[in-house]
Amino acid sequence: MRSSLKRTLTISAAALSFMSASGLTMSAYVSKIKQVGSTNLEPTTAYIRNYKATGSNAIYNKPGKLSGSKVVASASTAKAQSVLRGYKVAKLSNKSYYMKVVSFDGRYRGYIYVGKKNPVNNFKKVGGGLT
């Protein structure tokens, strides 16, 4: 009886440690995405940085893939805004770009996903959540 109890406890402890270790590695993977750079955009290009939200991406308080990011405006709320102005670009370690935008009435301010290509190269061809 004691040997079967000991064997059961050993197997249970091994299974529990395996499950906890796999959970730790998954959470470590999610937290590895970091912001690797940001660019403030020049004021001389302000007139071409007015965008309309497509409704496919929400606006976040910090780039959406970073831990601790929260939704400031849902995708449908962002789409309902008449115009958003972009004024900063953030690059993440997974090679995605987010643009910091503000609505013209000032109610919504945050980051929206704009794709895998740097929007600084061509402000008229921005992907993701802006057109």
Side-chain angles (χ1 to χ4, degrees):
M1 171 98 175
R2 284 185 180 233
S3 65
S4 66
L5 179 64
K6 189 176 183 181
R7 188 175 65 212
T8 304
L9 288 174
T10 305
I11 292 172
S12 299
L16 183 62
S17 66
F18 175 75
M19 289 180 0
S20 65
S22 65
L24 287 175
T25 57
M26 189 59 164
S27 65
Y29 174 74
V30 171
S31 66
K32 283 186 179 181
I33 297 176
K34 305 234 184 287
Q35 184 172 341
V36 294
S38 66
T39 306
N40 289 325
L41 304 178
E42 295 182 26
T44 57
T45 60
Y47 66 94
I48 60 172
R49 290 185 281 114
N50 295 336
Y51 299 103
K52 188 96 172 112
T54 60
S56 60
N57 296 90
I59 299 174
Y60 298 93
N61 64 336
K62 53 183 167 176
K65 295 290 182 181
L66 297 180
S67 62
S69 64
K70 297 176 184 165
V71 174
V72 173
S74 67
S76 59
T77 304
K79 187 175 182 176
Q81 294 298 308
S82 58
V83 178
L84 299 170
R85 166 142 318 153
Y87 62 94
K88 189 174 189 176
V89 174
K91 181 182 178 183
L92 299 184
S93 60
N94 65 350
K95 297 184 176 96
S96 61
Y97 289 90
Y98 283 79
M99 185 177 284
K100 189 158 189 181
V101 295
V102 62
S103 62
F104 267 72
D105 61 2
R107 289 180 59 190
Y108 302 105
R109 179 182 304 268
Y111 289 89
I112 191 166
Y113 177 74
V114 292
K116 296 282 187 180
K117 294 183 181 180
N118 191 349
V120 173
N121 299 332
N122 189 352
F123 289 118
K124 293 183 180 181
K125 290 194 177 194
V126 177
L130 298 175
T131 58

